Amino acid sequence: MNIKKQIEQLRAELHLHNYNYYVLNSPQISDKEFDDKLRELQNLEEAHPEYYDDSSPTMRVGSDISKNFTQIYHKYPMLSLANTYSEAEVTEFYERTQKALNESFEICCEMKYDGTSISLIYENGKLVRAATRGDGEKGDDVTDNVKTIQSIPLLLHGNNYPSNFEIRGEILMPWKIFEKLNQEREFNEEPLFANPRNAASGTLKLQNSSIVASRKLDAYLYYLLGEKLPSDSHYENLKIASTWGFKVSNIMCKCKTLQEIFDFIKYWDIERKNLPVATDGIVLKVNSLKQQKKLGFTAKSPRWAIAYKFQAERALTRLNKVTYQIGRTGAVTPVANLNPVQLSGTIVRRASLHNEDIINGLDLHIGDMVYVEKGGEIIPKITGVDKASRNFIIGEKVNFITNCPECGSQLIRYEGESAYYCPNETNCPPQIKGKIEHFISRKAMNIEGLGPETIDQFYQLGLIHDVADLYTLTVEQLKKLNRMGIKSAQNIILEINRSKNVPFERVIFALGIRFVGETVAKKIAKSFENIDQLQQASLEELVSINEIGNKIAQSILNYFSNKSNCQLIDRLKEAGLQFQRIEKNLKQYTNKLAGKSIVISGVFTHHSRDEYKEIIEENGGKNVGSISSKTSFILAGKNMGPSKLEKAKILGISVLSEDDFLKLLS
Ligand code: IVH
């Protein structure tokens, strides 16, 4: 086959696999097979730039070229929807529509997706432009970033699409991705995204599309525009658009009566909690395009549609004081201390205030009555101040602190960042304790028996000042401490010694280098044989590793340029930690677990749960969630639940310890 044909065939295959995976949720090949094909295509395209095509599936990996966005004028203005909050307002909309049309009509009910809106332009079946809403008249050209979203087709299926049309929808960050992203940001002590909407719109505006690609955004399309649309029904048009390859939600219902509309609202107000993405209401649209035209638009919104917003759970309470937490890297987080208040089933006492700009934006004063919301989000936030209830006894204005409340150092705010930092890395107590807590945590060195309180006690008594001091502790020292018997002392020392077997990649993670999370640490351990190689690596070598960009590379260089960090590593080396990759790598692909369904349960020492999952898959097995008669065996760590054990016994399923499992593979 000639090269051109080969490239075209690979492109067509990959487009189809993308669609099966991201739109239909039904992959036909394994991730590895997909990656192999993509790499093959990338290599061919690199060797044959004459066959460049900006709709190739390889365009979805993004590029790291920075650029500012150009503005695009929308062909049809991007209006918003009028919001309603009660059944009475929905009834009003329905009756108004009835009166204006004076004929029978249908209302299409859909979810109101809570992300950021997007306009996509297709010409001859090809995505040519993607723009944000902007001011409604013109928005940012975010085509390169949008191309990285796998559920948005670059080329359409079939041949019955109009040659020119626009489709609008919502770009979303699924809850799972959002939570993982915030966990990573928490680890790096970067400001957290308050909700998936902010995360999605922040991501879409990133200058580096390869980071956008890594954030795994999704999109639902809900509005087709153009001169030659296939049907007069909005509902039918969306159904047809889904056959062209678009992801259209199947939560759509044509309703004739108000009762049907209310039933839909009531059902989805509850059921939406099980959806993978955030929603904040229901959109009601007159279904017939002819009738839509007849109803027309006001200056701000269509008369043929409204949004019914679900009630955001909100409470009013008093702000008593603002305290400041210092994290492991010195980042300062302001925390609002509130009069306890009931919200979405929990009592809220504290809410994050994120940063100085947010505090100033709220014009916050001590004693203010503030609105707290949890609208499906993880961290409660303060959304406003009830200024009308301010009186003469109101306290002083909240000004962000200038000095660290723990060590007194003057705080610094780096250019372009919203957070303040305490620069006193080696002597600020919460930074020291935070680094030790991270070091011993489950995904790092996994030293059991030590928790924040014990670390605090050891630190207060002057027994430890950094992580290397842990390896100098003795049973003699510990058994003398308050509330510590000889048994606990021995256990702690045993656990500390056991951590000397923790593999290289987790030791790298445990060091707590800024931006080096679990995944990056794994990548590093795959690329460098030992810590000395990493210590000597140049910026170029570091950025040549997949997923390591300038920011991470620079942070690694900074870490090793600090003498006290190098001395710390020398002491840890002396203590016997694994600063070398173990070559008898379990992750060599084998077939030893082929056909086996394995349940993982309990707490492990040598690898994390996620690593065991990976090991199982890489050796041909399948990790399953619950025990059934089809389970081959259970990989059991410590503290496996008694009910699982019981079930395994009844079904006669064998239980393998961590060591037995590793032996089986070695
Ligand atoms: S239709 C002319 N349908 O809500 C109005 N919008 O305030 C066209 N949205 O900007 C929009 N889910 O970002 C429509 N199923 C849905 C939607 C939806 C979310 C967003 C959209 C729009 C905003 C309106």
Side-chain angles (χ1 to χ4, degrees):
M1 200 185 332
N2 73 23
I3 300 288
K4 185 162 180 258
K5 270 235 170 85
Q6 208 179 333
I7 288 180
E8 278 167 1
Q9 191 174 325
L10 271 169
R11 283 178 183 158
E13 262 183 64
L14 287 164
H15 276 307
L16 186 66
H17 289 308
N18 258 331
Y19 174 73
N20 288 335
Y21 188 100
Y22 291 100
V23 180
L24 302 182
N25 279 329
S26 136
Q28 305 295 328
I29 59 173
S30 73
D31 291 359
K32 185 171 181 309
E33 281 168 298
F34 183 91
D35 288 343
D36 289 346
K37 280 187 197 291
L38 189 70
R39 205 158 308 125
E40 190 185 341
L41 177 60
Q42 256 167 340
N43 291 341
L44 284 172
E45 286 181 348
E46 251 171 53
H48 298 275
E50 66 275 25
Y51 301 130
Y52 174 85
D53 179 352
D54 61 2
S55 298
S56 168
T58 54
M59 300 305 282
R60 293 196 186 276
V61 289
S63 117
D64 57 5
I65 299 168
S66 288
K67 64 174 184 56
N68 287 315
F69 300 110
T70 42
Q71 299 267 297
I72 298 182
Y73 276 87
H74 299 300
K75 187 167 175 197
Y76 311 93
M78 273 181 97
L79 302 176
S80 58
L81 294 166
N83 286 330
T84 61
Y85 297 89
S86 64
E87 288 198 356
E89 285 176 288
V90 172
T91 308
E92 229 173 77
F93 166 75
Y94 186 87
E95 287 172 352
R96 203 177 336 122
T97 308
Q98 201 163 36
K99 203 165 159 207
L101 291 175
N102 201 20
E103 60 187 1
S104 71
F105 61 95
E106 281 175 337
I107 297 286
C108 181
C109 294
E110 304 166 10
M111 295 313 291
K112 184 170 189 308
Y113 290 98
D114 194 13
T116 183
S117 46
I118 193 78
S119 146
L120 307 174
I121 309 286
Y122 284 80
E123 282 172 15
N124 301 317
K126 186 173 150 167
L127 173 67
V128 290
R129 253 181 331 278
T132 63
R133 178 167 184 269
D135 60 7
E137 217 176 296
K138 55 184 186 320
D140 283 331
D141 179 348
V142 287
T143 314
D144 290 343
N145 285 349
V146 163
K147 279 186 177 171
T148 69
I149 302 173
Q150 308 278 2
S151 52
I152 293 183
L154 303 180
L155 296 172
L156 300 183
H157 304 185
N159 50 14
N160 63 339
Y161 44 77
S163 56
N164 270 294
F165 70 92
E166 177 175 350
I167 190 160
R168 291 182 186 168
E170 203 80 354
I171 299 215
L172 299 149
M173 182 176 284
W175 284 112
K176 269 200 182 140
I177 308 283
F178 166 73
E179 277 152 24
K180 193 157 164 260
L181 176 66
N182 261 355
Q183 269 170 18
E184 275 167 27
R185 291 177 77 86
E186 196 170 9
F187 169 78
N188 295 329
E189 299 203 348
E190 292 177 298
L192 302 189
F193 284 116
N195 50 44
R197 177 183 359 101
N198 291 3
S201 68
T203 301
L204 199 62
K205 295 285 182 64
L206 287 172
Q207 295 289 325
N208 179 335
S209 57
S210 56
I211 303 182
V212 181
S214 74
R215 295 257 180 104
K216 300 192 166 58
L217 296 172
D218 203 350
Y220 279 103
L221 285 312
Y222 47 61
Y223 187 22
L224 193 64
L225 299 99
E227 264 94 65
K228 290 190 193 117
L229 300 185
S231 156
D232 176 60
S233 149
H234 160 77
Y235 180 93
E236 293 309 323
N237 277 336
L238 287 185
K239 289 282 177 207
I240 294 167
S242 77
T243 69
W244 303 335
F246 290 110
K247 189 161 184 168
V248 173
S249 170
N250 47 24
I251 310 173
M252 280 201 295
C253 179
K254 287 184 281 183
C255 297
K256 286 221 163 84
T257 65
L258 262 174
Q259 194 51 52
E260 283 170 344
I261 296 172
F262 293 145
D263 289 347
F264 185 92
I265 291 177
K266 209 174 272 152
Y267 181 79
W268 285 106
D269 194 3
I270 307 286
E271 207 44 44
R272 74 190 177 106
K273 293 182 181 124
N274 299 320
L275 295 178
V277 291
T279 54
D280 62 341
I282 299 288
V283 180
L284 305 146
K285 299 173 182 169
V286 170
N287 191 33
S288 148
L289 303 196
K290 223 188 297 146
Q291 292 178 337
Q292 286 186 3
K293 222 169 174 183
K294 203 164 158 190
L295 291 161
F297 294 84
T298 70
K300 278 196 278 177
S301 52
R303 285 200 189 87
W304 46 264
I306 52 158
Y308 168 86
K309 298 272 285 226
F310 297 126
Q311 215 119 70
E313 286 166 284
R314 190 168 91 144
L316 192 63
T317 189
R318 189 173 303 279
L319 173 71
N320 292 326
K321 64 176 177 183
V322 175
T323 51
Y324 296 85
Q325 278 176 354
I326 313 295
R328 174 170 57 85
T329 64
V332 185
T333 311
V335 180
N337 293 237
L338 308 164
N339 265 0
V341 65
Q342 185 83 27
L343 187 64
S344 315
T346 54
I347 293 174
V348 175
R349 292 185 170 82
R350 288 144 60 87
S352 168
L353 280 166
H354 300 290
N355 58 49
E356 183 184 33
D357 300 338
I358 291 197
I359 293 178
N360 290 343
L362 288 164
D363 181 31
L364 214 53
H365 287 65
I366 301 299
D368 266 338
M369 290 303 286
V370 292
Y371 289 105
V372 195
E373 264 183 38
K374 232 162 71 172
E377 286 140 16
I378 298 165
I379 314 151
K381 62 176 178 188
I382 292 181
T383 52
V385 175
D386 180 21
K387 292 199 175 142
S389 70
R390 266 189 194 163
N391 57 30
F392 59 92
I393 52 160
I394 199 75
E396 56 191 68
K397 182 169 160 47
V398 178
N399 284 315
F400 207 91
I401 47 169
T402 52
N403 290 75
C404 174
E406 302 279 346
C407 72
S409 305
Q410 187 159 18
L411 301 180
I412 44 174
R413 182 174 172 172
Y414 298 108
E415 222 184 290
E417 284 201 31
S418 51
Y420 274 96
Y421 289 89
C422 166
N424 185 9
E425 261 182 61
T426 41
N427 279 308
C428 178
Q431 293 193 57
I432 296 170
K433 284 186 274 181
K435 284 190 178 84
I436 301 175
E437 277 167 28
H438 167 70
F439 184 82
I440 62 166
S441 64
R442 199 170 55 82
K443 290 185 172 180
M445 303 304 281
N446 193 21
I447 303 180
E448 275 186 31
L450 285 181
E453 276 169 34
T454 331
I455 295 294
D456 187 50
Q457 191 189 12
F458 291 1
Y459 175 76
Q460 299 294 348
L461 292 169
L463 294 177
I464 52 172
H465 193 268
D466 58 34
V467 296
D469 290 340
L470 288 170
Y471 297 92
T472 66
L473 293 173
T474 62
V475 174
E476 286 308 302
Q477 271 176 323
L478 301 191
K479 73 175 190 203
K480 287 188 237 141
L481 305 183
N482 234 350
R483 281 180 288 146
M484 176 94 65
I486 177 135
K487 192 104 192 101
S488 320
Q490 280 171 339
N491 267 340
I492 291 177
I493 299 300
L494 196 75
E495 280 293 325
I496 292 176
N497 281 333
R498 211 207 291 262
S499 77
K500 293 179 186 171
N501 295 324
V502 162
F504 182 39
E505 59 199 37
R506 274 171 52 201
V507 178
I508 297 174
F509 172 62
L511 293 176
I513 305 170
R514 197 157 181 226
F515 306 126
V516 179
E518 243 188 313
T519 324
V520 172
K522 271 187 201 159
K523 296 252 143 94
I524 291 174
K526 274 192 186 144
S527 308
F528 299 98
E529 265 170 43
N530 54 45
I531 194 88
D532 301 331
Q533 274 187 9
L534 174 64
Q535 219 156 345
Q536 281 147 23
S538 64
L539 186 78
E540 291 72 35
E541 279 174 84
L542 289 167
V543 293
S544 70
I545 301 170
N546 191 13
E547 272 189 47
I548 296 193
N550 242 318
K551 190 168 86 171
I552 301 176
Q554 200 55 58
S555 164
I556 296 171
L557 292 182
N558 285 350
Y559 181 86
F560 288 113
S561 69
N562 184 333
K563 236 190 185 161
S564 55
N565 289 335
C566 297
Q567 284 164 352
L568 184 81
I569 289 177
D570 285 342
R571 286 168 58 215
L572 289 172
K573 266 187 201 166
E574 251 166 59
L577 269 62
Q578 302 291 326
F579 279 110
Q580 189 108 13
R581 191 168 64 200
I582 302 172
E583 289 305 340
K584 59 173 183 63
N585 197 344
L586 282 171
K587 289 183 193 160
Q588 288 154 349
Y589 298 108
T590 75
N591 258 335
K592 287 191 178 164
L593 301 176
K596 300 249 186 300
S597 295
I598 301 160
V599 171
I600 304 178
S601 178
V603 184
F604 298 93
T605 315
H606 302 298
H607 295 274
S608 68
R609 229 167 210 278
D610 290 343
E611 283 166 356
Y612 274 120
K613 186 168 180 240
E614 228 173 85
I615 292 172
I616 289 173
E617 281 163 9
E618 285 174 350
N619 289 284
K622 197 169 149 202
N623 170 222
V624 290
S626 56
I627 304 172
S628 73
S629 57
K630 293 196 190 109
T631 307
S632 314
F633 64 83
I634 298 165
L635 165 56
K638 274 190 243 161
N639 302 333
M640 175 175 161
S643 63
K644 274 197 181 155
L645 210 53
E646 184 66 29
K647 194 163 180 193
K649 233 191 222 166
I650 294 169
L651 294 171
I653 292 163
S654 47
V655 178
L656 254 67
S657 73
E658 199 177 355
D659 288 333
D660 289 345
F661 176 74
L662 292 173
K663 253 188 236 147
L664 177 80
L665 289 181
S666 63

